[in-house]
């Protein structure tokens, strides 16, 4: 269930029978009463404040609010919010302001027509009250090229998403609103002088983030994998002597699960596998609809649908994750089909809008199911507003890259996970602490001094060595626990062990010695093949002019005949499957 909050100046927009209601000077705040303890509600003689924020920030607010607090104070505090939003309503003037976290991970969607406006964290609710459910072709092209919509775009024409670090202000007697981005995260992190990194202080920032945000009433679950990032979170928990269990989601027999299982055994940690498995068509259909109901503007089914399994396998708890740690410590190393696509690289590296247009047209040609002719005619319209991510050759701090990683990849990709789980779990990601990031990105370990998307294993060697240096100070035995790549972190830390790391790197990348056994290869892509056959072949969305209908049917025909289809093409079909479900659930039109 979603902890729905709706804010509007038109009471007719809100079914107040389903919510508890606060009504002040023409502004209505309705919220799901089941989650009342998770909200922070405060008022004095001048202001009404309502917030849904991470636990650490909620405690900060409770200590901070008094008869003298102001909107300016909240704008300063906004920088420290891990996730969430705050609304302040003036009792005297009736004006209000809404502030969200600097990343934009907490979902705030809005729609306004004339003098009426409505904001909500529940996009499904907003969609269902719209008279027209037309898709925004710019959002669709974002989705096809990047796997998530960019800036304030969504898949829907009349619905926008609030950018991270923004404030919405109303005029007195609110009939109009203005939206301003007041906190640019790359600017916040940038310091004029570089400094030598103090690893103990860096670890303290992570520890503070972890301990401040834990809900003491809930158990702790660690998402344990064979990767670097989860080893850091494991070390933090062991350092603080906290009781916790762990889980790995994926495939039984995968190198990731084997490494995690061995690590859990080494430190006597309870561990379970949340396993991908075969489901009936009806079961998968229900899972997808539940997933999309939480995140209808970002229906990336291929890799994130697995998180639906957490709801049925993991009890309500604090869930600790190291998501995005690698991208922030090492920088974006390789182009992927998921988080940082070739088009993301194209956008970040382009230094001119005309070059961006040319290269995105070229990128789209790798998708056989989307009309190149249609995109070419819409390309200028699509790239409007993307200039904030162009590369400035004079900017040695690469602010465009940092903003893209944190406001797009983190907020939009991991945001899907957050939005699906935040009603049932307390999600904690210590790597996204502003103090940690500020120390890291202004030190000799900052990834911005290297070439992004470089496959050279030596280009990010110094950054990778930061992991074992941090872990050695936190809980040294962890550097000897197995990774998913047949070496341990100690091999990076000590020079005499470096040949082991290099040997394993070449074995894994060039001789396929670290691959899952074919009999275990039942991933999200294969799970969705039956639904592609069932739903997509005769889907009404194939009539949309930007889709190459006959090419889609040709490739689905190969699936029906058990003719091999590349993973790349399957992923592109699954993007279209997401659009099909939007049509089925909301009757979208083009």
């Amino acid at each position: 269930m979603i902890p729905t909050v709706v804010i509007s100046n038109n009471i007719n927009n809100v079914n107040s029978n389903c919510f508890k209601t606060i009504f002040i000077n023409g502004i209505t705040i309705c919220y799901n009463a089941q989650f009342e303890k998770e909200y922070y509600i405060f008022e004095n003689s001048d202001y009404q404040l309502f917030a849904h924020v991470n636990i650490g920030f909620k405690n900060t607010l409770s200590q901070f609010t008094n008869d003298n607090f102001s909107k300016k104070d909240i704008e300063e505090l906004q920088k420290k919010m891990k996730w969430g939003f705050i609304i302040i309503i003036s009792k005297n003037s009736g004006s209000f302001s809404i502030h969200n976290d600097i990343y934009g991970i907490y979902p705030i969607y809005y729609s306004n027509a004339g003098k009426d406006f409505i904001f909500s964290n529940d996009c499904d609710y907003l969609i269902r009250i719209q008279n027209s459910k037309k898709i925004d072709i710019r959002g669709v092209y974002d989705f096809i090229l990047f796997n998530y919509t960019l800036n304030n775009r969504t898949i829907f024409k009349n619905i926008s998403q609030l950018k991270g670090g923004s404030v919405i202000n109303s005029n007195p007697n609110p009939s109009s609103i203005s939206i301003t981005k007041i906190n640019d995260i790359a600017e916040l992190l940038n310091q004029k002088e570089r400094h030598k990194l103090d690893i103990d202080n860096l670890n303290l920032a992570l520890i503070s983030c972890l301990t401040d945000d834990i809900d003491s009433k809930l158990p702790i679950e660690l998402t344990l994998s064979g990767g670097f990032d989860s080893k850091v979170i494991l070390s933090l928990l062991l350092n603080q002597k906290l009781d916790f269990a762990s889980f790995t989601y994926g495939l039984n027999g995968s190198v990731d699960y084997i490494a995690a299982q061995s690590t859990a055994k080494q430190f006597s940690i309870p561990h379970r596998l949340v396993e991908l498995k075969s489901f009936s068509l009806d079961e998968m259909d229900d899972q997808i609809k539940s997933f999309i109901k939480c995140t209808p503007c970002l229906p990336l089914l291929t890799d994130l649908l697995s998180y639906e399994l957490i709801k049925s396998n993991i009890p309500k708890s604090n869930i600790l994750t190291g998501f995005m740690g690698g991208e922030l410590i090492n920088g974006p190393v390789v182009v992927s089909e998921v988080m940082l696509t070739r088009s993301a690289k194209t956008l970040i590296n382009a230094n001119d809008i005309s070059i961006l247009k040319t290269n995105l047209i070229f990128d789209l040609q790798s998708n056989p199911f989307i009309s190149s002719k249609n995109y070419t005619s819409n390309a200028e319209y699509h790239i409007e507003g993307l200039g904030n991510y162009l590369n400035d050759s004079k900017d040695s701090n690469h602010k465009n890259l940092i903003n893209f990683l944190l406001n797009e990849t983190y907020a939009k990709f991991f945001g899907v996970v957050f939005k699906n789980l935040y009603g049932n779990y307390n999600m904690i990601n210590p790597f996204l602490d502003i103090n940690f990031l500020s120390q890291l990105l202004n030190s000799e370990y900052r990834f911005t001094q290297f070439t992004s998307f470089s496959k050279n294993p030596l280009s990010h060697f110094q950054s990778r060595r930061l992991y074992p240096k941090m872990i050695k100070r936190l809980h040294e035995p962890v550097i000897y626990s197995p990774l998913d790549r047949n070496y341990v972190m100690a091999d990076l830390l000590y020079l005499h062990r470096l040949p082991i790391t290099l040997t394993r790197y070449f074995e894994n990348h060039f001789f396929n010695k670290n691959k899952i056994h074919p009999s275990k290869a039942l991933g999200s892509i294969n799970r969705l093949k039956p639904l592609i056959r069932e739903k997509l072949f005769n889907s009404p969305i194939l009539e949309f002019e930007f889709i190459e209908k006959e090419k889609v049917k040709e490739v689905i025909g190969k699936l029906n005949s058990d003719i091999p289809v590349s993973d790349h093409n399957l992923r592109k079909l699954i993007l279209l499957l997401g659009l099909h479900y939007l049509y089925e659930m909301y009757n979208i039109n083009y």
Side-chain angles (χ1 to χ4, degrees):
M1 182 177 291
I2 298 174
T4 301
V5 179
V6 181
I7 303 162
S8 181
N9 66 340
N10 184 349
I11 191 64
N12 295 323
N13 281 328
V14 181
N15 180 1
S16 56
N17 293 327
C18 301
F19 304 98
K20 281 198 170 184
T21 302
I22 298 172
F23 183 78
I24 299 176
N25 290 348
I27 304 297
T28 302
I29 304 174
C30 291
Y31 57 93
N32 190 328
Q34 182 175 336
F35 295 91
E36 186 167 18
K37 292 182 180 179
E38 297 185 17
Y39 306 128
Y40 179 72
I41 303 172
F42 172 86
E43 66 176 312
N44 59 24
S45 58
D46 297 318
Y47 294 102
Q48 171 79 53
L49 183 148
F50 182 97
H52 188 201
V53 294
N54 59 290
I55 288 175
F57 191 77
K58 184 178 179 182
N59 293 334
T60 299
L61 274 181
S62 64
Q63 296 168 13
F64 170 78
T65 46
N66 54 58
D67 288 342
N68 298 314
F69 84 91
S70 67
K71 287 197 296 184
K72 194 71 177 175
D73 297 322
I74 297 297
E75 288 178 8
E76 188 62 29
L77 281 177
Q78 182 186 38
K79 302 171 186 177
K80 300 178 181 179
M81 200 190 313
K82 306 290 193 319
W83 58 259
F85 84 99
I86 303 168
I87 177 170
I88 307 170
I89 304 174
S90 169
K91 292 183 176 180
N92 298 320
S93 68
S95 62
F96 70 88
S97 63
I98 301 175
H99 309 253
N100 70 334
D101 63 86
I102 56 176
Y103 310 104
I105 189 171
Y106 189 93
I108 294 290
Y109 304 99
Y110 57 94
S111 177
N112 63 298
K115 294 183 178 181
D116 292 341
F117 57 79
I118 183 166
F119 305 93
S120 182
N121 59 358
D122 186 344
C123 192
D124 175 77
Y125 178 89
L126 273 185
I127 294 168
R128 294 187 186 281
I129 65 172
Q130 299 295 316
N131 293 324
S132 173
K133 299 179 177 65
K134 288 188 176 181
I135 60 174
D136 183 343
I137 191 62
R138 296 174 305 168
V140 171
Y141 281 132
D142 284 347
F143 179 54
I144 289 166
L145 288 165
F146 301 97
N147 288 339
Y148 34 80
T149 57
L150 302 183
N151 288 324
N152 66 340
R153 299 170 181 169
T154 71
I155 298 290
F156 297 87
K157 207 162 199 175
N158 297 325
I159 298 174
S160 301
Q161 181 170 359
L162 192 62
K163 295 180 185 178
S166 293
V167 60
I168 302 169
N169 283 306
S170 76
N171 296 319
N173 189 20
S175 60
S176 64
I177 59 172
S178 62
I179 300 174
T180 309
K181 186 171 174 64
I182 59 172
N183 279 312
D184 181 289
I185 195 163
E187 289 286 352
L188 289 176
L189 294 173
N190 183 43
Q191 297 177 5
K192 292 182 179 179
E193 295 183 3
R194 303 300 179 195
H195 57 79
K196 184 172 177 59
L197 186 64
D198 185 323
I199 292 177
D200 287 331
N201 281 340
L202 191 71
N203 283 338
L204 282 174
L206 293 177
I207 290 170
S208 176
C209 177
L210 171 72
T211 55
D212 287 351
D213 276 331
I214 285 178
D215 185 339
S216 60
K217 300 185 293 295
L218 297 176
I220 299 171
E221 291 275 355
L222 167 65
T223 54
L224 185 61
S225 69
F228 284 59
D229 303 321
S230 75
K231 298 288 189 185
V232 175
I233 310 301
L234 169 64
S235 302
L236 292 170
L237 290 166
L238 293 171
N239 175 275
Q240 294 298 294
K241 298 180 172 57
L242 295 169
D243 291 327
F244 65 99
S246 63
F247 67 93
T248 303
Y249 52 87
L251 306 172
N252 191 0
S254 69
V255 291
D256 207 41
Y257 173 62
I258 291 170
Q261 186 182 43
S262 178
T263 299
K265 184 177 181 180
Q266 178 181 342
F267 296 102
S268 302
I269 303 164
H271 183 250
R272 78 188 88 179
L273 173 66
V274 178
E275 187 172 11
L276 294 174
K277 57 183 180 179
S278 296
F279 292 94
S280 69
L281 283 178
D282 287 343
E283 287 174 323
M284 285 192 292
D285 189 60
D286 289 342
Q287 285 181 7
I288 289 173
K289 287 176 179 175
S290 172
F291 178 85
I292 289 181
K293 190 175 188 299
C294 291
T295 53
C297 287
L298 297 160
L300 182 59
L301 307 180
T302 315
D303 295 85
L304 296 175
L305 185 58
S306 306
Y307 284 94
E308 274 293 307
L309 298 175
I310 291 177
K311 294 179 182 178
S312 57
N313 286 274
I314 304 297
K316 186 171 183 177
S317 55
N318 298 283
I319 291 186
L320 272 72
T321 176
F323 186 85
M324 283 287 290
E327 284 70 28
L328 296 169
I329 293 176
N330 300 319
V333 179
V334 296
V335 168
S336 74
E337 291 269 16
V338 186
M339 287 172 52
L340 289 163
T341 64
R342 183 169 73 178
S343 296
K345 178 183 177 181
T346 294
L347 173 57
I348 292 165
N349 288 341
N351 54 19
D352 179 85
I353 203 76
S354 60
I355 293 174
L356 175 63
K357 175 184 172 181
T358 300
N359 290 345
L360 286 181
I361 289 172
F362 178 78
D363 287 351
L364 194 93
Q365 292 172 0
S366 69
N367 187 330
F369 310 122
I370 303 300
S371 167
S372 294
K373 180 180 178 181
N374 183 272
Y375 180 71
T376 300
S377 64
N378 284 287
E380 287 190 13
Y381 177 59
H382 170 236
I383 62 179
E384 281 180 8
L386 298 185
N388 55 316
Y389 292 124
L390 292 178
N391 180 32
D392 181 354
S393 58
K394 297 178 182 179
D395 177 20
S396 60
N397 297 313
H398 300 284
K399 293 176 185 176
N400 69 318
L401 174 56
I402 292 172
N403 279 330
F404 191 90
L405 285 174
L406 294 172
N407 285 148
E408 302 295 353
T409 306
Y410 175 64
K412 306 292 177 60
F413 187 88
F414 184 68
V416 174
V417 180
F418 175 82
K419 292 164 197 171
N420 270 269
L421 299 181
Y422 78 147
N424 299 298
Y425 302 94
N426 179 35
M427 302 290 292
I428 303 173
N429 185 352
F431 286 122
L432 272 295
D433 175 74
I434 194 76
N435 186 11
F436 169 80
L437 290 174
S438 181
Q439 291 184 59
L440 175 67
L441 295 179
N442 290 283
S443 75
E444 71 272 25
Y445 289 96
R446 65 191 184 280
F447 71 81
T448 52
Q449 63 188 307
F450 306 113
T451 302
S452 296
F453 301 105
S454 169
K455 295 182 180 180
N456 183 347
L458 299 178
S459 63
H460 299 272
F461 175 69
Q462 182 182 11
S463 298
R464 289 196 184 278
R465 292 192 74 203
L466 178 59
Y467 283 102
K469 289 181 179 181
M470 293 169 63
I471 291 171
K472 185 179 180 182
R473 305 284 186 93
L474 289 166
H475 197 81
E476 185 171 1
V478 174
I479 67 173
Y480 297 98
S481 63
L483 293 164
D484 57 5
R485 52 208 79 192
N486 292 332
Y487 60 84
V488 297
M489 285 197 184
D491 297 332
L492 282 170
L493 187 60
Y494 302 111
L495 293 177
H496 69 279
R497 299 179 66 134
L498 283 179
I500 299 173
T501 306
L502 292 173
T503 300
R504 297 294 182 262
Y505 176 87
F506 285 104
E507 286 180 351
N508 295 337
H509 287 79
F510 299 104
F511 299 102
N512 295 322
K513 285 199 173 183
N514 203 20
K515 302 296 182 183
I516 187 170
H517 190 277
S519 65
K520 301 291 184 181
L522 181 63
S524 297
I525 292 178
N526 287 333
R527 289 171 62 209
L528 292 170
K529 280 183 182 178
L531 278 177
I532 293 174
R533 299 186 185 103
E534 176 81 12
K535 299 277 188 177
L536 200 53
F537 190 80
N538 292 310
S539 172
I541 72 162
L542 298 188
E543 302 302 325
F544 292 169
E545 64 181 28
F546 60 86
I547 294 177
E548 296 283 6
K549 174 181 176 180
E550 296 307 317
K551 188 64 179 178
V552 173
K553 286 181 171 272
E554 176 190 335
V555 176
I556 295 176
K558 290 182 179 180
L559 287 179
N560 291 334
S561 303
D562 292 326
I563 298 173
V565 174
S566 70
D567 282 356
H568 173 80
N569 281 349
L570 282 173
R571 285 181 178 275
K572 301 309 178 188
L573 284 176
I574 292 169
L575 289 177
L576 296 184
L577 182 64
L579 291 179
H580 165 82
Y581 270 96
L582 291 182
Y583 179 90
E584 185 176 313
M585 294 171 67
Y586 303 111
N587 194 26
I588 60 172
N589 57 81
Y590 175 51

